[in-house]
Amino acid sequence: MSLFSEKLKLYIEVSHQTIYQLSKKAEVNRTVIHKTISGERVPGDDFLEKLYGALMLSPEEKREMRRLAERARVGEKVYRRREKVKAVIEALNDNPLFNPAYGFENRAFAAVSKTKTGLQIIQGRKSIEAQVMALLGDVFYNAQKPELSIFIPFQEKYLYELLYNFYMTCDKETRILNLIAIEKDYKDDRACLRNLEILSSALLFSLTEKKGYRPYYYYMNGDNHYEEGVSMPYFIKTEKQVMTFSPDFETAFVYDGEDSYGYFSDKIDQFYKKAEMLTVYGESVPEMFGWSFISNYEEIIEPAPCMAKFFTNRRIDCFLRKDIPMREELYHIGCTYYTHVREVLGIPFSMFSFEGLIEFMNSGILPTLPKYVTRQLSLEERREMLEEIIKNAKSGAKPYIAINRKAFKVPVDLEIIKVSDQEIAIRRFNERGDELTTIFIHEPGLVDAFTDFMDYLKTSDMVYDQETMVDMMEGLLG
């Protein structure tokens, strides 16, 4: 039996109705009711709505039953994967790793002392954490150009919290090479959920104003030799030392002798040469502005309805600030891009945050372009854009779906784009809105999970129906 069938059976028992009485009241087949509560089948929505009405369920109880029915239809494996992708996206609303209480920028860190023999053994988690703190402090605040390589499981949240806060408070150009072990058999439920959890942590580092984080991955159950030659599987490498850790993080070795450091340093460098990038930054001007000529712009989760159709050359010229550097180049890139979208790529399926649309109507700031590039739109211009969006939504010529943020807390400063079946792009502006970070994900299992979630989102209970969406949009016009 599923959670749905168990819950339905409970509601029937509480109603003190027999299956025969319920079938008569709901005007449905009682045999189907029997099969439903036994877990043999999940009927269609019309059938279930009649049952919910006959059982006199509250609106909240109906919503829960609809969710459980969908869970039973798709199966636990698919349901858990979709819930995990949703959690990964929602986690980007804020960063649980950032802790201003550390105040690293106001502290002084001594240079790490060289060991007497080229090898130091450290026992006990507390002692190891203290050594890592000292090592990171030395790297980020004493090195001219901080750089380190790290291979530590994300389950060690305290160590990653230290790393993140050092990274974000250091005002130097910094480079972090993060080796990550993921599982190749992403069709396996446990492996898929674990990989998504790893991605969630990596995104917290990737989607910041700083561009020095480079996550590399390898398949732990694939054909590799990443652990060969390292006495313990996890490590931190700086320009001075290599520190390796036991799986339980109760023992650590510190190597800084010329021979031992050189040996392990070379081994670690070889690891990265065999690994693939988990996230890749967009570096070109079109990619930085979201104007990359990607081959297939299928679906997008975004802060406001896609406005690409309405960005004519006249509007682009009108919206761009007059005093920005490279204005002519940006104008021509923008014109070429939006013409290409309309005439070649086609407008993507736009799933947008209604709260983001409200923010646009209140502020006049285009949510998908840097604030220093575009001026604030007048109230008349905002209304004109919204009227065109409503017209397209009513005609069905442009696919718009409004996300209910009470059901799905999608960040209002983020775009998630299904570029193709092989690529997902994620874009985010910094807090000032003057710089866009674009990253690309190509790992097949992660792309597959995001693609499935985005396809599911269109018809889920996390979005408004078309009639409600249009009514809410018209309400913004007053």
Side-chain angles (χ1 to χ4, degrees):
M1 292 178 66
S2 64
L3 292 174
F4 167 72
S5 59
E6 290 178 359
K7 193 77 171 181
L8 181 60
K9 184 178 180 180
L10 178 61
Y11 279 132
I12 294 173
E13 290 173 354
V14 171
S15 74
H16 301 295
Q17 300 179 72
T18 66
I19 299 298
Y20 176 78
Q21 290 170 331
L22 181 60
S23 67
K24 287 296 184 183
K25 186 176 180 180
E27 298 181 341
V28 296
N29 188 298
R30 63 178 176 177
T31 301
V32 177
I33 298 179
H34 278 294
K35 290 184 177 181
T36 302
I37 61 176
S38 68
E40 292 181 51
R41 63 176 294 184
V42 182
D45 291 336
D46 291 342
F47 183 97
L48 293 177
E49 290 300 324
K50 291 178 181 179
L51 276 187
Y52 303 155
L55 291 169
M56 300 183 67
L57 300 188
S58 68
E60 183 60 36
E61 289 170 336
K62 288 180 181 179
R63 279 193 291 272
E64 181 191 21
M65 291 304 290
R66 291 177 192 128
R67 182 178 60 81
L68 291 177
E70 179 63 22
R71 181 172 181 171
R73 288 189 185 108
V74 302
E76 286 297 308
K77 174 183 173 181
V78 173
Y79 172 81
R80 283 194 294 266
R81 180 173 66 171
R82 290 172 178 173
E83 284 294 297
K84 190 60 183 179
V85 174
K86 177 173 176 279
V88 169
I89 296 171
E90 290 183 327
L92 296 172
N93 280 291
D94 43 44
N95 197 324
L97 291 176
F98 182 64
N99 185 352
Y102 283 117
F104 290 145
E105 66 275 24
N106 299 316
R107 296 166 61 177
F109 291 90
V112 173
S113 301
K114 187 175 177 61
T115 65
K116 294 180 179 179
T117 63
L119 171 65
Q120 179 184 2
I121 301 175
I122 304 173
Q123 297 285 352
R125 178 174 286 268
K126 290 296 183 182
S127 297
I128 290 172
E129 289 175 351
Q131 182 66 23
V132 171
M133 168 85 83
L135 185 64
L136 295 179
D138 184 28
V139 171
F140 283 100
Y141 285 93
N142 296 327
Q144 291 295 318
K145 190 174 181 180
E147 180 170 338
L148 60 87
S149 303
I150 182 169
F151 179 31
I152 291 176
F154 280 110
Q155 291 90 331
E156 296 296 325
K157 294 191 179 297
Y158 174 69
L159 297 182
Y160 273 101
E161 185 177 298
L162 288 179
L163 178 64
Y164 184 86
N165 284 274
F166 273 116
Y167 178 51
M168 294 305 296
T169 56
C170 179
D171 58 5
K172 303 174 185 176
E173 183 181 346
T174 306
R175 187 175 178 84
I176 300 174
L177 306 182
N178 192 181
L179 188 64
I180 298 168
I182 66 174
E183 298 191 44
K184 189 171 186 177
D185 185 14
Y186 61 87
K187 297 297 183 181
D188 175 74
D189 187 37
R190 184 188 62 83
C192 181
L193 296 180
R194 180 183 179 279
N195 290 350
L196 285 167
E197 181 67 27
I198 289 171
L199 175 67
S200 182
S201 299
L203 289 177
L204 297 178
F205 282 86
S206 298
L207 291 169
T208 69
E209 298 182 31
K210 301 173 79 71
K211 302 293 196 304
Y213 178 72
R214 296 291 187 274
Y216 290 79
Y217 75 91
Y218 75 94
Y219 292 117
M220 64 172 62
N221 49 350
D223 182 19
N224 64 74
H225 304 282
Y226 287 93
E227 291 78 20
E228 182 182 328
V230 177
S231 58
M232 292 183 288
Y234 303 115
F235 60 76
I236 296 176
K237 171 196 165 186
T238 72
E239 63 179 11
K240 296 180 179 179
Q241 295 181 333
V242 171
M243 189 173 183
T244 64
F245 308 87
S246 62
D248 60 3
F249 282 80
E250 290 292 338
T251 304
F253 291 174
V254 177
Y255 301 94
D256 60 5
E258 182 177 350
D259 292 339
S260 60
Y261 174 83
Y263 172 79
F264 286 109
S265 179
D266 289 344
K267 278 289 183 182
I268 288 170
D269 290 344
Q270 291 300 315
F271 294 170
Y272 288 94
K273 290 181 180 179
K274 298 176 184 178
E276 300 286 340
M277 291 290 291
L278 185 65
T279 63
V280 180
Y281 287 106
E283 300 291 350
S284 68
V285 171
E287 287 174 334
M288 295 288 286
F289 284 80
W291 294 342
S292 56
F293 292 95
I294 48 189
S295 59
N296 197 359
Y297 208 99
E298 295 185 2
E299 300 166 353
I300 181 169
I301 297 173
E302 54 187 334
C306 179
M307 301 180 188
K309 183 173 184 177
F310 315 116
F311 283 166
T312 61
N313 292 2
R314 179 187 65 80
R315 277 191 169 136
I316 293 171
D317 185 45
C318 183
F319 293 164
L320 284 177
R321 295 181 183 273
K322 302 300 182 184
D323 57 347
I324 57 172
M326 301 171 60
R327 187 184 191 281
E328 283 302 309
E329 180 181 351
L330 292 175
Y331 168 73
H332 288 297
I333 292 174
C335 290
T336 305
Y337 169 72
Y338 286 114
T339 299
H340 186 68
V341 169
R342 290 192 299 271
E343 297 180 0
V344 180
L345 296 180
I347 307 300
F349 206 112
S350 176
M351 295 171 278
F352 67 93
S353 165
F354 199 83
E355 283 70 16
L357 176 59
I358 294 173
E359 177 61 26
F360 164 68
M361 292 301 294
N362 288 336
S363 68
I365 302 298
L366 290 165
T368 54
L369 290 174
K371 292 177 184 177
Y372 81 92
V373 169
T374 56
R375 63 171 177 79
Q376 182 183 29
L377 273 61
S378 68
L379 181 58
E380 181 181 349
E381 289 170 328
R382 294 172 231 170
R383 291 177 63 87
E384 180 183 322
M385 294 284 283
L386 182 56
E387 286 170 353
E388 292 192 42
I389 290 171
I390 292 172
K391 180 180 178 182
N392 274 264
K394 285 182 174 180
S395 69
K398 172 72 179 68
Y400 288 116
I401 291 182
I403 297 170
N404 179 355
R405 203 164 185 269
K406 291 181 180 179
F408 177 25
K409 295 179 177 61
V410 58
V412 295
D413 61 348
L414 195 75
E415 292 181 322
I416 301 172
I417 305 161
K418 178 189 174 184
V419 178
S420 69
D421 290 336
Q422 290 80 44
E423 183 175 69
I424 296 291
I426 303 179
R427 302 197 292 234
R428 167 175 255 169
F429 283 106
N430 61 17
E431 292 184 1
R432 299 184 304 276
D434 61 3
E435 184 176 352
L436 182 68
T437 297
T438 302
I439 63 170
F440 298 92
I441 301 171
H442 301 111
E443 199 283 320
L446 298 173
V447 173
D448 184 64
F450 270 81
T451 296
D452 170 73
F453 176 79
M454 294 176 78
D455 289 341
Y456 155 71
L457 180 61
K458 301 173 192 173
T459 57
S460 74
D461 60 1
M462 294 183 284
V463 300
Y464 296 105
D465 62 70
Q466 288 291 301
E467 183 178 351
T468 301
M469 179 190 72
V470 171
D471 288 345
M472 292 169 65
M473 285 181 174
E474 290 178 334
L476 294 179
L477 294 174

